[in-house]
Amino acid sequence: MATVSSVDLAGLGGTTSAQVRKDLSIFGSFGKRGLGYSVADLTARLRGILGLEHIWRVCIAGAGRIGSALVRYPGFAARGFHIAAAYDADPERIGSQWGELRVRDIRELGSDAARERFDIGVIAVPADAAQHVADVMVASGISAIMNFAPVQIATPPQVVVRTVNMVLEFEALSFALANREK
Amino acid sequence: MATVSSVDLAGLGGTTSAQVRKDLSIFGSFGKRGLGYSVADLTARLRGILGLEHIWRVCIAGAGRIGSALVRYPGFAARGFHIAAAYDADPERIGSQWGELRVRDIRELGSDAARERFDIGVIAVPADAAQHVADVMVASGISAIMNFAPVQIATPPQVVVRTVNMVLEFEALSFALANREK
DNA sequence: TTCTGTGAATAGGTTCACAGCT
DNA sequence: AGCTGTGAACCTATTCACAGAA
């Protein structure tokens, strides 16, 4: 039976073995002392904890580069994230084919969401439109938002928002470069 | 004179006023009591601290969707990140024009880096090639790496690495959705 | 009076280290 | 012997709260 120890996992994840054990112990005792964790068992349990046996319906607002990258990234669909719809405000883009998806008018997002029950909304629109899109998503019942716009988004507390800001990531590198000792 | 208070900044950044003041106080006393922070002064000082008055030379390994998104994102160049070169291993892509950039053969990255003094290397190649690309970057003197490949990268301690893993971000949303109380 | 800057108190997270199961 | 699970120790980050400058 294939097993991994917390030391192995720490190496893969770039952390420490104590950290791995503590983190896993929050959810239960998955390992065997003297042996480690069964890969198959641990994988299954983590999928359960992370909610990955469920297929989540994702809608993307903004049919630009970011949305495009997500749609074409294979690991994405493989992990249970199904991109159900894409929207844009630009008439040039609306109606264009995106793989199997047809880009829809962003004004349809609200009514579609109520009907198609999207679980996750992706905001990939310019910063000045981000809050409005978020409001529409929240109003139509979406309770998890992935935000790629470089602004802070206000939502009711029951809505989960994660913001990814590429420029901020690079600025962190810039900071490290500027402040490293030579 | 335009000023902002720590309360204003906390609202913009999604944090608390005490947090803002503590963070800023690490680098000095930029504000005026009873008034707040001068926007112009604070901006200038933060640019200095973050190293943003310097223009950083960025090279991208992997001329796919991610690199493309970075090249075309306007806020990127505006913040002092100049994309100096892009590389790929695919003969189909090598030589193709990417705005003003011509995609180069990734085997030239090592020798180019020594000559063109790249500050930041972006890894946007498949997971199985990421470590090799990182090794080449490190060997040629690049000391800051932005990693978009879904793997942990090993580097010497003086090299700064930031990893952005889109799938992981979505899995965090999945976790939140799966574990929210109904 | 407003709002910063900062010690003190508190909370949160990580590491240590070891008992105990396999 | 090997490796987990976990209390205790430790360390770091956030929040509180207030003196003092504008």
Side-chain angles (χ1 to χ4, degrees):
Chain A
M1 189 213 266
T3 60
V4 267
S5 71
S6 54
V7 177
D8 299 335
L9 290 169
L12 291 170
T15 172
T16 66
S17 61
Q19 188 67 66
V20 169
R21 292 201 301 279
K22 254 275 149 63
D23 286 354
L24 292 177
S25 75
I26 292 169
F27 302 105
S29 302
F30 308 150
K32 286 199 166 49
R33 298 181 182 203
L35 243 177
Y37 301 87
S38 149
V39 174
D41 180 50
L42 186 60
T43 306
R45 282 164 177 273
L46 285 178
R47 286 183 60 85
I49 292 164
L50 293 171
L52 298 180
E53 73 282 276
H54 190 302
I55 291 176
W56 301 108
R57 299 176 58 75
V58 178
C59 71
I60 298 178
R65 294 269 143 199
I66 292 162
S68 168
L70 289 178
V71 171
R72 311 203 186 194
Y73 183 56
F76 205 67
R79 307 284 178 97
F81 299 98
H82 171 68
I83 295 167
Y87 298 86
D88 208 291
D90 182 350
E92 289 275 302
R93 283 188 185 151
I94 295 166
S96 68
Q97 208 65 23
W98 243 36
E100 303 139 29
L101 254 52
R102 221 195 67 259
V103 176
R104 310 181 197 176
D105 189 321
I106 197 153
R107 284 168 296 189
E108 298 166 18
L109 198 161
S111 49
D112 287 4
R115 190 160 14 87
E116 303 188 37
R117 309 212 127 271
F118 302 133
D119 302 294
I120 296 174
V122 174
I123 297 180
V125 300
D128 51 18
Q131 183 63 59
H132 173 67
V133 169
D135 292 343
V136 172
M137 287 178 172
V138 170
S140 59
I142 291 172
S143 60
I145 293 176
M146 185 86 235
N147 173 37
F148 289 97
V151 281
Q152 184 68 20
I153 281 189
T155 56
Q158 74 274 14
V159 177
V160 199
V161 180
R162 285 186 77 86
T163 297
V164 173
N165 187 333
M166 303 278 206
V167 173
L168 233 54
E169 298 290 336
F170 275 87
E171 288 182 354
L173 278 188
S174 174
F175 175 71
L177 281 173
N179 296 74
R180 77 185 155 193
E181 50 267 30
K182 287 271 179 49
Chain B
M1 188 214 269
T3 59
V4 268
S5 71
S6 54
V7 177
D8 300 334
L9 291 170
L12 292 171
T15 172
T16 66
S17 61
Q19 187 68 67
V20 169
R21 293 202 300 279
K22 255 272 145 73
D23 285 355
L24 292 177
S25 75
I26 292 169
F27 302 106
S29 302
F30 308 150
K32 286 199 166 48
R33 297 177 183 206
L35 243 178
Y37 301 88
S38 150
V39 174
D41 180 49
L42 186 60
T43 306
R45 283 163 177 274
L46 286 178
R47 287 183 58 83
I49 292 163
L50 292 172
L52 297 180
E53 73 282 276
H54 189 303
I55 292 176
W56 301 108
R57 299 175 57 75
V58 179
C59 71
I60 298 176
R65 295 267 141 201
I66 292 162
S68 169
L70 289 177
V71 170
R72 311 205 186 191
Y73 183 55
F76 205 67
R79 305 286 177 96
F81 298 98
H82 170 68
I83 295 167
Y87 297 87
D88 209 290
D90 182 350
E92 289 275 302
R93 284 189 184 149
I94 295 168
S96 69
Q97 208 65 24
W98 242 37
E100 303 140 29
L101 253 51
R102 221 195 67 259
V103 176
R104 310 182 197 175
D105 189 321
I106 197 154
R107 284 168 297 189
E108 297 165 19
L109 199 162
S111 49
D112 287 6
R115 189 162 13 90
E116 301 188 38
R117 308 213 126 270
F118 301 134
D119 302 295
I120 296 173
V122 174
I123 296 180
V125 300
D128 52 18
Q131 182 63 59
H132 173 67
V133 169
D135 292 343
V136 172
M137 286 178 172
V138 169
S140 59
I142 291 172
S143 60
I145 292 175
M146 186 85 234
N147 174 35
F148 289 97
V151 282
Q152 183 70 19
I153 281 190
T155 55
Q158 73 274 14
V159 177
V160 198
V161 180
R162 285 186 78 85
T163 297
V164 174
N165 189 333
M166 303 277 206
V167 173
L168 234 54
E169 298 291 335
F170 276 86
E171 287 182 354
L173 277 188
S174 174
F175 175 70
L177 281 174
N179 296 74
R180 76 185 157 193
E181 50 266 30
K182 286 274 179 49

